[in-house]
Amino acid sequence: MALKDYSDEFKSDAVALYESTPGATYKSIAADLGINRASLREWVLRDRERRGVTAAGAKPAAGHRAAVPSADPDERVRRLEARVAELEASERKLATERDILRKAAKYFAGGDELVTSRFQFVDDHRATYEVKQLCQVMDVNRSSYYTWLAGAEARAGRKREDRVLAEQIRRVHGESGGAYGSPQVTAELREKGHRVNEKRVARIMRTFSITGIRLRRRVRTTVPDPASGQVADLFRRDFTATEPGRKLMGDITYLPLQGGKFLYLATVLDCFSRKVVGWSIAGHMRTDLVSDALRMAASTRGSLDGAVFHSDHGAQYGSRAYAGLCDQLGVTRSMGAVGTSADNAACESFHASLKRETLQGAHDYGDATTCRRTVFAWLTRYNTCRRHSTNGHLSPDAYERRHHAAKLTLAA
């Protein structure tokens, strides 16, 4: 408990009260003033020293009021017994305070998993100790504790509401495959008619441990080709677009299998909606892998004529065969700087989300068939259902439908 800082005026008045009260003791005056007995004694002794008052001329303490010790043995015994009783009472008080502090240390050791309110500690132990003593040891105001106690019913109501909302959040989180954070969960709940605040959703997700899963390992998939020609960076880290099919970006990522083996995934994303318009999965990283993904993108969009495709400096993207395919489809190539992942950050982020949400903490996908099926299901659902922060928490397909509807409205 923090020590209180008393003013010089308060100390002077306390000393004057003690000195002017016949038969008063340090304990009685200290209790009246709500201060520590030892503090009052120290103030009195300092004042007497300042005034030059000797111990012999000082005010007699409680239990020693007679100026001359009594010669009566019975009287001396009574005085000693009274002093012993006073010391025993003080020891009991200190022992009780130590016991309260030991229990408090265990009570708060669990952090947020247990109640961290000092008021709650007082309430939980009020049947064992006096509320006044609990509040003193825990350094809380008694009136504040009783105010807190009066709001117990309202707090219980809020906790019940939080538990109900937590179940709704779990359902949304589960339907997303454990992918959604608080922004997407909030958007989903609002669409279902719930009036919720994102900060409250985030707080409840923390309280009930509703979280995503982080990746642990990384495999190098970008191997630059020294013989490839120079390709300019036409994106300059601008991964946005005003129309679908104008700016595309792609990358390769590994898919871990059991036994230390891998499959590899090449993707093509549309910068406008972050829709996956093309992908290819294979057990190799040859040029065919990225070429098949680009051909799928051309089929999805109908045509890529006039589009710009951005990638890193992987050997597959720098090959003559891939450059020829881009020319054939009317696609202009763009590449970031060598060894700079930030120049293709949007694709890196996309692949990180894919593996985090499909692996869900596992080290691998198992066999190749399971891996293909899992990734295919996620990519399909990503386009049709998964909310994306870049799209105002709409799925890529929903975002593009809204864009087309707006264009038709303007044309009409």
Side-chain angles (χ1 to χ4, degrees), residues 254-269:
Y254 72 98
L255 303 172
L257 306 178
Q258 60 190 8
K261 297 180 180 179
F262 298 96
L263 288 179
Y264 299 93
L265 169 69
T267 53
V268 178
L269 277 66

PDB file of all heavy atoms in Angstrom, residues 254-269:
ATOM      1  N   TYR A 254       5.470 -22.139 -51.680  1.00  0.00           N
ATOM      2  CA  TYR A 254       5.585 -23.579 -51.454  1.00  0.00           C
ATOM      3  C   TYR A 254       4.388 -24.074 -50.634  1.00  0.00           C
ATOM      4  O   TYR A 254       3.798 -23.338 -49.849  1.00  0.00           O
ATOM      5  CB  TYR A 254       6.876 -23.905 -50.705  1.00  0.00           C
ATOM      6  CG  TYR A 254       6.838 -23.476 -49.245  1.00  0.00           C
ATOM      7  CD1 TYR A 254       6.526 -24.386 -48.236  1.00  0.00           C
ATOM      8  CD2 TYR A 254       7.095 -22.157 -48.884  1.00  0.00           C
ATOM      9  CE1 TYR A 254       6.479 -23.991 -46.920  1.00  0.00           C
ATOM     10  CE2 TYR A 254       7.051 -21.754 -47.568  1.00  0.00           C
ATOM     11  CZ  TYR A 254       6.737 -22.682 -46.582  1.00  0.00           C
ATOM     12  OH  TYR A 254       6.678 -22.293 -45.280  1.00  0.00           O
ATOM     13  N   LEU A 255       4.041 -25.348 -50.807  1.00  0.00           N
ATOM     14  CA  LEU A 255       2.983 -26.005 -50.040  1.00  0.00           C
ATOM     15  C   LEU A 255       3.598 -27.253 -49.413  1.00  0.00           C
ATOM     16  O   LEU A 255       3.859 -28.243 -50.119  1.00  0.00           O
ATOM     17  CB  LEU A 255       1.802 -26.372 -50.942  1.00  0.00           C
ATOM     18  CG  LEU A 255       1.155 -25.219 -51.721  1.00  0.00           C
ATOM     19  CD1 LEU A 255       0.124 -25.761 -52.713  1.00  0.00           C
ATOM     20  CD2 LEU A 255       0.520 -24.209 -50.781  1.00  0.00           C
ATOM     21  N   PRO A 256       3.872 -27.260 -48.112  1.00  0.00           N
ATOM     22  CA  PRO A 256       4.592 -28.376 -47.488  1.00  0.00           C
ATOM     23  C   PRO A 256       3.740 -29.647 -47.391  1.00  0.00           C
ATOM     24  O   PRO A 256       2.569 -29.598 -47.027  1.00  0.00           O
ATOM     25  CB  PRO A 256       4.931 -27.838 -46.095  1.00  0.00           C
ATOM     26  CG  PRO A 256       3.873 -26.824 -45.815  1.00  0.00           C
ATOM     27  CD  PRO A 256       3.547 -26.191 -47.135  1.00  0.00           C
ATOM     28  N   LEU A 257       4.358 -30.772 -47.714  1.00  0.00           N
ATOM     29  CA  LEU A 257       3.721 -32.084 -47.609  1.00  0.00           C
ATOM     30  C   LEU A 257       4.435 -32.907 -46.539  1.00  0.00           C
ATOM     31  O   LEU A 257       5.518 -32.544 -46.062  1.00  0.00           O
ATOM     32  CB  LEU A 257       3.776 -32.816 -48.955  1.00  0.00           C
ATOM     33  CG  LEU A 257       3.209 -32.090 -50.181  1.00  0.00           C
ATOM     34  CD1 LEU A 257       3.399 -32.965 -51.419  1.00  0.00           C
ATOM     35  CD2 LEU A 257       1.735 -31.748 -49.979  1.00  0.00           C
ATOM     36  N   GLN A 258       3.829 -34.013 -46.182  1.00  0.00           N
ATOM     37  CA  GLN A 258       4.473 -34.895 -45.210  1.00  0.00           C
ATOM     38  C   GLN A 258       5.760 -35.485 -45.805  1.00  0.00           C
ATOM     39  O   GLN A 258       5.890 -35.644 -47.020  1.00  0.00           O
ATOM     40  CB  GLN A 258       3.522 -36.019 -44.814  1.00  0.00           C
ATOM     41  CG  GLN A 258       3.075 -36.898 -45.971  1.00  0.00           C
ATOM     42  CD  GLN A 258       1.960 -37.848 -45.583  1.00  0.00           C
ATOM     43  OE1 GLN A 258       1.409 -37.753 -44.483  1.00  0.00           O
ATOM     44  NE2 GLN A 258       1.630 -38.771 -46.473  1.00  0.00           N
ATOM     45  N   GLY A 259       6.710 -35.785 -44.923  1.00  0.00           N
ATOM     46  CA  GLY A 259       7.971 -36.349 -45.379  1.00  0.00           C
ATOM     47  C   GLY A 259       8.938 -35.340 -45.945  1.00  0.00           C
ATOM     48  O   GLY A 259       9.905 -35.712 -46.613  1.00  0.00           O
ATOM     49  N   GLY A 260       8.681 -34.049 -45.722  1.00  0.00           N
ATOM     50  CA  GLY A 260       9.602 -33.013 -46.192  1.00  0.00           C
ATOM     51  C   GLY A 260       9.479 -32.689 -47.662  1.00  0.00           C
ATOM     52  O   GLY A 260      10.331 -31.980 -48.220  1.00  0.00           O
ATOM     53  N   LYS A 261       8.431 -33.148 -48.328  1.00  0.00           N
ATOM     54  CA  LYS A 261       8.235 -32.843 -49.751  1.00  0.00           C
ATOM     55  C   LYS A 261       7.384 -31.583 -49.909  1.00  0.00           C
ATOM     56  O   LYS A 261       6.795 -31.091 -48.940  1.00  0.00           O
ATOM     57  CB  LYS A 261       7.566 -34.023 -50.446  1.00  0.00           C
ATOM     58  CG  LYS A 261       8.403 -35.300 -50.425  1.00  0.00           C
ATOM     59  CD  LYS A 261       7.674 -36.428 -51.127  1.00  0.00           C
ATOM     60  CE  LYS A 261       8.514 -37.713 -51.116  1.00  0.00           C
ATOM     61  NZ  LYS A 261       7.808 -38.832 -51.789  1.00  0.00           N
ATOM     62  N   PHE A 262       7.280 -31.081 -51.148  1.00  0.00           N
ATOM     63  CA  PHE A 262       6.544 -29.843 -51.400  1.00  0.00           C
ATOM     64  C   PHE A 262       5.772 -29.930 -52.714  1.00  0.00           C
ATOM     65  O   PHE A 262       6.171 -30.623 -53.643  1.00  0.00           O
ATOM     66  CB  PHE A 262       7.490 -28.640 -51.490  1.00  0.00           C
ATOM     67  CG  PHE A 262       8.253 -28.368 -50.237  1.00  0.00           C
ATOM     68  CD1 PHE A 262       9.538 -28.851 -50.092  1.00  0.00           C
ATOM     69  CD2 PHE A 262       7.696 -27.647 -49.198  1.00  0.00           C
ATOM     70  CE1 PHE A 262      10.262 -28.598 -48.946  1.00  0.00           C
ATOM     71  CE2 PHE A 262       8.401 -27.386 -48.046  1.00  0.00           C
ATOM     72  CZ  PHE A 262       9.697 -27.877 -47.911  1.00  0.00           C
ATOM     73  N   LEU A 263       4.649 -29.197 -52.751  1.00  0.00           N
ATOM     74  CA  LEU A 263       4.034 -28.779 -53.998  1.00  0.00           C
ATOM     75  C   LEU A 263       4.251 -27.277 -54.095  1.00  0.00           C
ATOM     76  O   LEU A 263       4.569 -26.616 -53.095  1.00  0.00           O
ATOM     77  CB  LEU A 263       2.528 -29.103 -54.008  1.00  0.00           C
ATOM     78  CG  LEU A 263       2.126 -30.574 -54.151  1.00  0.00           C
ATOM     79  CD1 LEU A 263       0.604 -30.699 -54.122  1.00  0.00           C
ATOM     80  CD2 LEU A 263       2.686 -31.180 -55.426  1.00  0.00           C
ATOM     81  N   TYR A 264       4.042 -26.724 -55.293  1.00  0.00           N
ATOM     82  CA  TYR A 264       4.253 -25.294 -55.475  1.00  0.00           C
ATOM     83  C   TYR A 264       3.014 -24.681 -56.124  1.00  0.00           C
ATOM     84  O   TYR A 264       2.405 -25.282 -57.017  1.00  0.00           O
ATOM     85  CB  TYR A 264       5.499 -25.036 -56.315  1.00  0.00           C
ATOM     86  CG  TYR A 264       6.738 -25.571 -55.655  1.00  0.00           C
ATOM     87  CD1 TYR A 264       7.197 -26.854 -55.958  1.00  0.00           C
ATOM     88  CD2 TYR A 264       7.413 -24.818 -54.714  1.00  0.00           C
ATOM     89  CE1 TYR A 264       8.323 -27.364 -55.333  1.00  0.00           C
ATOM     90  CE2 TYR A 264       8.547 -25.315 -54.088  1.00  0.00           C
ATOM     91  CZ  TYR A 264       8.989 -26.597 -54.391  1.00  0.00           C
ATOM     92  OH  TYR A 264      10.096 -27.099 -53.755  1.00  0.00           O
ATOM     93  N   LEU A 265       2.652 -23.504 -55.649  1.00  0.00           N
ATOM     94  CA  LEU A 265       1.457 -22.796 -56.119  1.00  0.00           C
ATOM     95  C   LEU A 265       1.861 -21.472 -56.760  1.00  0.00           C
ATOM     96  O   LEU A 265       2.556 -20.656 -56.148  1.00  0.00           O
ATOM     97  CB  LEU A 265       0.504 -22.532 -54.948  1.00  0.00           C
ATOM     98  CG  LEU A 265      -0.668 -21.578 -55.212  1.00  0.00           C
ATOM     99  CD1 LEU A 265      -1.674 -22.214 -56.175  1.00  0.00           C
ATOM    100  CD2 LEU A 265      -1.345 -21.184 -53.907  1.00  0.00           C
ATOM    101  N   ALA A 266       1.420 -21.258 -57.984  1.00  0.00           N
ATOM    102  CA  ALA A 266       1.595 -19.963 -58.654  1.00  0.00           C
ATOM    103  C   ALA A 266       0.224 -19.305 -58.756  1.00  0.00           C
ATOM    104  O   ALA A 266      -0.762 -19.963 -59.119  1.00  0.00           O
ATOM    105  CB  ALA A 266       2.194 -20.153 -60.041  1.00  0.00           C
ATOM    106  N   THR A 267       0.140 -18.030 -58.440  1.00  0.00           N
ATOM    107  CA  THR A 267      -1.141 -17.323 -58.451  1.00  0.00           C
ATOM    108  C   THR A 267      -1.032 -16.046 -59.266  1.00  0.00           C
ATOM    109  O   THR A 267       0.050 -15.466 -59.414  1.00  0.00           O
ATOM    110  CB  THR A 267      -1.591 -16.959 -57.021  1.00  0.00           C
ATOM    111  OG1 THR A 267      -0.537 -16.256 -56.356  1.00  0.00           O
ATOM    112  CG2 THR A 267      -1.950 -18.203 -56.230  1.00  0.00           C
ATOM    113  N   VAL A 268      -2.182 -15.617 -59.774  1.00  0.00           N
ATOM    114  CA  VAL A 268      -2.309 -14.319 -60.452  1.00  0.00           C
ATOM    115  C   VAL A 268      -3.467 -13.595 -59.794  1.00  0.00           C
ATOM    116  O   VAL A 268      -4.603 -14.084 -59.789  1.00  0.00           O
ATOM    117  CB  VAL A 268      -2.575 -14.479 -61.960  1.00  0.00           C
ATOM    118  CG1 VAL A 268      -2.744 -13.109 -62.608  1.00  0.00           C
ATOM    119  CG2 VAL A 268      -1.454 -15.250 -62.628  1.00  0.00           C
ATOM    120  N   LEU A 269      -3.198 -12.427 -59.206  1.00  0.00           N
ATOM    121  CA  LEU A 269      -4.211 -11.639 -58.515  1.00  0.00           C
ATOM    122  C   LEU A 269      -4.504 -10.374 -59.299  1.00  0.00           C
ATOM    123  O   LEU A 269      -3.594  -9.757 -59.868  1.00  0.00           O
ATOM    124  CB  LEU A 269      -3.747 -11.245 -57.109  1.00  0.00           C
ATOM    125  CG  LEU A 269      -3.915 -12.257 -55.982  1.00  0.00           C
ATOM    126  CD1 LEU A 269      -3.040 -13.476 -56.200  1.00  0.00           C
ATOM    127  CD2 LEU A 269      -3.611 -11.623 -54.628  1.00  0.00           C
TER     128      LEU A 269
END
